């Protein structure tokens, strides 16, 4: 079966870029990305490509090529479902904030709503693809909803988790390490798998397209994120040991990374990982394990999160201690608010927690991030619900230039590894700062020797 029409429900960080690339590489397939969020869809349709709702290097070029040709963004969910032969569910699956599994389990209400809507609208057979990251066995629930509330048409469920990393999404989509497709091992299931394989085969070499059963595919995504986050927490745990012993974490990372069994990636110690996925997916894994009575498994993975929280706390405590045990009334500049470079995504960013802890200590925070707006920063901070919003407004200031953020600052913390931070005139910054001028490099990206030669007191992580 050759797919001619695709719908994707959810025009977020995954749905938008993923479907843009599928449309770019398959000019004969009509791809419609739908969302309930009208502003988001309006932004996707903005003629000014600088105003797309998410920032990803080179995303604008792909959208420019495909939009209006075979790529469409719309709020008409029903129409897009009715028309499509293949429907991707790419909605958010955040950690539950209420009821059973609160703070741990994935909230599947948005996914279930999609399933019910597809069942209600569909009057012809559909292949439904789980693109969102979901707990293992979710396909069973989706199948049950579709079959029990549908119009008697046939639904095949596939799992096709997305492995893109924000900041490098377009490259990851263009040359993926692998594409994973899980499906039922029945005749109908195999045909559905093949239909999706054909979509990807337009640009992905066949040997990089992996097909499995549904549960392996669902679990592989959680596992991949757990392993990646575990590496960060592992190296971060050792950064504390380095600081206590005189070892240097960069040297240790390099030494172990040259072992081909370990490999050099994801061994950079930092203030901690953020992003919408790692914490959520590990908590979900912990919850599933605990629900199945696998307490030791749950505790093992939970430690990855606890270590990440510890690293953030340790970073702030270290700042306060170095700043003579008080930051009250001091100006502290934060460079970076996004959870990593080359994205405007701030979900679970370490910067939010660092700012929150510093505001607890009554520090005056001036933030500069090249891609994040003040309203986003305020909403991130207010979401923590630590104190009245007026207080956040009083203590947190967004600056439109790094030099104004740093003017008169007692200290600066680097919280995102934006490349431009290394290109600043640090002598000029030094001259503008209070003395002694402290740099807390939460990403280990600046040149320690150069900064110390200027006169800064430099504190990296793990040295
Ligand atoms: N962000 C990443 O880097 C990444 C990577 C891999 C996988 N994932 C997974 O992909 C999924 C989506 O993540 P995201 O970052 O794109 O989320 P997102 O919040 O950016 O986007 C989700 C979108 O879905 C829309 N939506 C929710 N319910 C809807 C409905 N019923 N009808 C229409 N639209 C609806 C929301 O309005 C929102 O715009 C999650 O499960 C996530 O874990 C994310």
């Amino acid at each position: 079966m050759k797919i001619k029409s695709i719908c994707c429900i959810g025009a977020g960080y995954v749905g938008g870029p993923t479907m843009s690339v599928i449309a770019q590489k398959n000019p004969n397939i009509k791809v419609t990305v739908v969302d309930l969020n009208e502003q988001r869809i309006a932004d996707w349709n903005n003629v000014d490509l600088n105003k797309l709702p998410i920032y990803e290097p080179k995303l604008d070029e792909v959208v420019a090529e495909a939009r209006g040709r075979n790529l469409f963004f719309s709020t008409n969910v029903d129409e897009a479902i009715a028309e499509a032969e293949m429907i991707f569910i790419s909605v958010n699956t955040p950690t539950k904030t209420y009821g059973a599994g609160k703070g741990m389990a994935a909230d599947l209400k948005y996914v279930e709503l999609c399933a019910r809507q597809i069942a209600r609208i569909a009057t012809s057979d559909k292949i439904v693809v789980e693109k969102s990251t979901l707990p293992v066995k979710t396909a069973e629930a989706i199948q049950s909803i579709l079959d029990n509330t549908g119009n008697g048409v046939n639904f095949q469920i596939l799992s096709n988790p997305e492995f893109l990393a924000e900041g490098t999404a377009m490259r990851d989509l263009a040359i993926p390490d692998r594409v994973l497709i899980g499906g039922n091992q029945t005749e109908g299931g195999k045909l559905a798998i093949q239909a999706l394989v054909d979509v990807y085969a337009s640009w992905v070499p066949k040997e990089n397209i992996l097909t499995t059963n549904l549960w392996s595919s669902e679990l592989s995504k959680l596992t991949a994120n757990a392993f990646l986050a575990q590496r960060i927490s592992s190296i971060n745990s050792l950064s504390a040991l380095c600081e206590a012993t005189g070892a240097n974490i960069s040297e240790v990372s390099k030494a172990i990374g040259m072992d081909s069994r370990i490999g050099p990636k994801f061994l950079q110690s930092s203030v901690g990982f953020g992003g919408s996925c790692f914490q959520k997916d590990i908590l979900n894994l912990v919850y599933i394990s605990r629900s199945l009575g696998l307490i030791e498994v749950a505790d093992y993975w939970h430690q990855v999160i606890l270590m990440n929280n510890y690293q953030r706390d340790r970073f702030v405590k270290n700042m306060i201690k170095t700043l003579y045990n008080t930051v009250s009334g001091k100006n502290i500049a934060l460079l970076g608010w996004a959870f990593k470079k080359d994205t405007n995504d701030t979900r679970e960013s370490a910067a939010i927690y660092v700012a929150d802890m510093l505001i607890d200590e009554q520090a005056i925070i001036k933030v500069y991030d090249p891609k994040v707006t003040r309203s986003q920063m305020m909403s991130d901070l207010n979401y923590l619900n630590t104190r009245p919003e007026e207080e956040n407004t009083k203590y947190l200031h967004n600056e439109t230039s790094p030099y104004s953020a740093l003017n008169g600052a007692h200290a600066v913390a680097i919280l995102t590894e934006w490349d431009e931070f290394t290109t600043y005139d640090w002598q000029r910054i030094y001259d503008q700062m209070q003395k002694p001028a402290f740099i807390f490099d939460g990403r280990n990206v600046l040149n320690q020797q150069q900064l110390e030669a200027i006169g800064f007191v430099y504190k990296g992580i793990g040295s």
Side-chain angles (χ1 to χ4, degrees):
M1 175 191 187
K2 280 266 174 269
I3 296 294
K4 290 262 172 303
S5 170
I6 286 177
C7 155
C8 173
I9 309 180
Y13 283 88
V14 167
T18 312
M19 292 303 128
S20 299
V21 172
I22 287 184
Q24 179 201 30
K25 306 288 187 184
N26 291 280
N28 298 326
I29 301 180
K30 180 179 178 189
V31 180
T32 308
V33 192
V34 291
D35 205 294
L36 296 173
N37 183 332
E38 288 178 11
Q39 185 58 51
R40 218 168 207 187
I41 292 298
D43 291 342
W44 278 113
N45 283 322
N46 202 315
V47 279
D48 181 353
L49 290 165
N50 290 318
K51 301 224 165 95
L52 295 179
I54 68 176
Y55 172 71
E56 264 305 326
K58 308 241 183 263
L59 171 63
D60 51 351
E61 292 170 21
V62 179
V63 171
E65 184 183 334
R67 195 176 62 185
R69 177 188 74 187
N70 64 325
L71 174 66
F72 303 92
F73 294 93
S74 161
T75 51
N76 195 336
V77 184
D78 286 356
E79 188 180 275
I81 290 173
E83 204 181 82
E85 296 155 315
M86 182 177 269
I87 301 164
F88 287 79
I89 299 180
S90 197
V91 299
N92 35 330
T93 49
T95 304
K96 263 185 98 177
T97 53
Y98 55 89
K102 177 178 172 178
M104 298 292 271
D107 191 344
L108 298 179
K109 73 177 169 205
Y110 305 106
V111 172
E112 175 163 345
L113 281 171
C114 289
R116 288 184 184 275
Q117 192 166 7
I118 294 167
R120 181 167 51 78
I121 299 299
T123 51
S124 57
D125 293 354
K126 309 278 179 202
I127 298 171
V128 176
V129 186
E130 299 173 343
K131 187 50 115 176
S132 297
T133 303
L134 296 169
V136 54
K137 284 293 203 186
T138 305
E140 203 167 63
I142 295 180
Q143 185 84 57
S144 169
I145 291 166
L146 290 171
D147 290 347
N148 286 297
T149 65
N151 302 311
V153 298
N154 183 268
F155 292 106
Q156 284 295 336
I157 318 285
L158 299 177
S159 159
N160 172 222
E162 185 47 61
F163 293 102
L164 68 77
E166 286 176 29
T168 53
M170 304 317 282
R171 195 195 62 206
D172 298 342
L173 289 166
I175 24 172
D177 289 344
R178 80 313 208 176
V179 167
L180 179 59
I181 301 173
N184 279 318
Q185 301 303 303
T186 56
E187 201 182 323
K190 286 180 186 160
L191 286 172
I193 291 175
Q194 191 54 47
L196 185 52
V197 168
D198 290 343
V199 171
Y200 282 107
S202 311
W203 81 98
V204 180
K206 283 241 162 67
E207 57 276 17
N208 290 6
I209 306 178
L210 199 64
T211 60
T212 65
N213 80 28
L214 271 170
W215 320 131
S216 305
S217 174
E218 286 179 336
L219 188 57
S220 295
K221 175 62 194 175
L222 292 184
T223 307
N225 275 352
F227 267 64
L228 291 169
Q230 182 202 39
R231 275 174 79 96
I232 299 176
S233 277
S234 296
I235 206 73
N236 280 344
S237 73
L238 293 164
S239 71
L241 196 56
C242 284
E243 287 167 29
T245 57
N248 181 316
I249 198 66
S250 305
E251 291 174 355
V252 174
S253 291
K254 186 163 184 199
I256 64 164
M258 286 172 78
D259 185 325
S260 59
R261 294 167 302 177
I262 297 173
K265 292 186 180 162
F266 265 67
L267 287 181
Q268 177 81 359
S269 81
S270 69
V271 60
F273 59 75
S276 67
C277 293
F278 284 175
Q279 173 164 307
K280 158 178 88 72
D281 293 346
I282 293 182
L283 288 173
N284 188 3
L285 196 64
V286 171
Y287 180 74
I288 295 169
S289 304
R290 216 165 263 164
S291 309
L292 295 169
L294 305 171
I295 305 303
E296 287 79 1
V297 179
D299 289 349
Y300 176 78
W301 288 107
H302 198 205
Q303 198 58 34
V304 173
I305 302 291
L306 299 182
M307 187 52 63
N308 198 49
N309 297 345
Y310 164 77
Q311 186 75 347
R312 282 193 313 237
D313 290 357
R314 208 168 71 75
F315 182 78
V316 176
K317 282 187 184 136
N318 195 13
M319 282 180 81
I320 295 168
K321 190 169 145 218
T322 309
L323 293 166
Y324 314 109
N325 288 310
T326 176
V327 291
S328 176
K330 289 183 179 166
N331 286 327
I332 306 224
L334 305 186
L335 288 184
W337 189 267
F339 86 92
K340 66 190 287 201
K341 73 171 179 178
D342 291 337
T343 177
N344 61 346
D345 195 350
T346 63
R347 290 176 289 183
E348 289 300 327
S349 177
I352 305 168
Y353 295 93
V354 169
D356 185 56
M357 287 183 261
L358 290 172
I359 292 175
D360 262 348
E361 295 292 330
Q362 302 181 342
I364 298 152
I365 311 292
K366 297 191 175 174
V367 194
Y368 170 74
D369 186 290
K371 291 287 173 198
V372 182
T373 61
R374 174 172 169 79
S375 67
Q376 185 60 51
M377 293 175 190
M378 292 314 300
S379 107
D380 291 337
L381 206 48
N382 291 334
Y383 186 76
L384 296 183
N385 209 9
T386 318
R387 63 187 72 76
E389 294 187 8
E390 311 82 75
E391 274 193 53
N392 284 335
T393 317
K394 180 173 142 200
Y395 284 107
L396 187 93
H397 305 267
N398 177 30
E399 301 289 329
T400 47
S401 114
Y403 297 98
S404 63
L406 284 150
N407 195 5
H410 292 78
V412 49
I414 312 290
L415 299 178
T416 312
E417 69 283 19
W418 286 103
D419 289 339
E420 66 171 61
F421 296 166
T422 59
T423 66
Y424 292 167
D425 181 348
W426 284 97
Q427 179 67 57
R428 175 180 159 198
I429 289 168
Y430 179 78
D431 294 342
Q432 290 178 346
M433 284 177 68
Q434 307 275 349
K435 306 295 174 322
F438 294 94
I439 296 186
F440 299 92
D441 189 349
R443 297 281 161 189
N444 284 353
V445 285
L446 299 183
N447 185 326
Q448 175 171 3
Q449 277 176 342
Q450 216 171 43
L451 293 166
E452 284 177 346
I454 293 174
F456 282 105
V457 181
Y458 175 94
K459 299 262 179 189
I461 303 248
S463 61

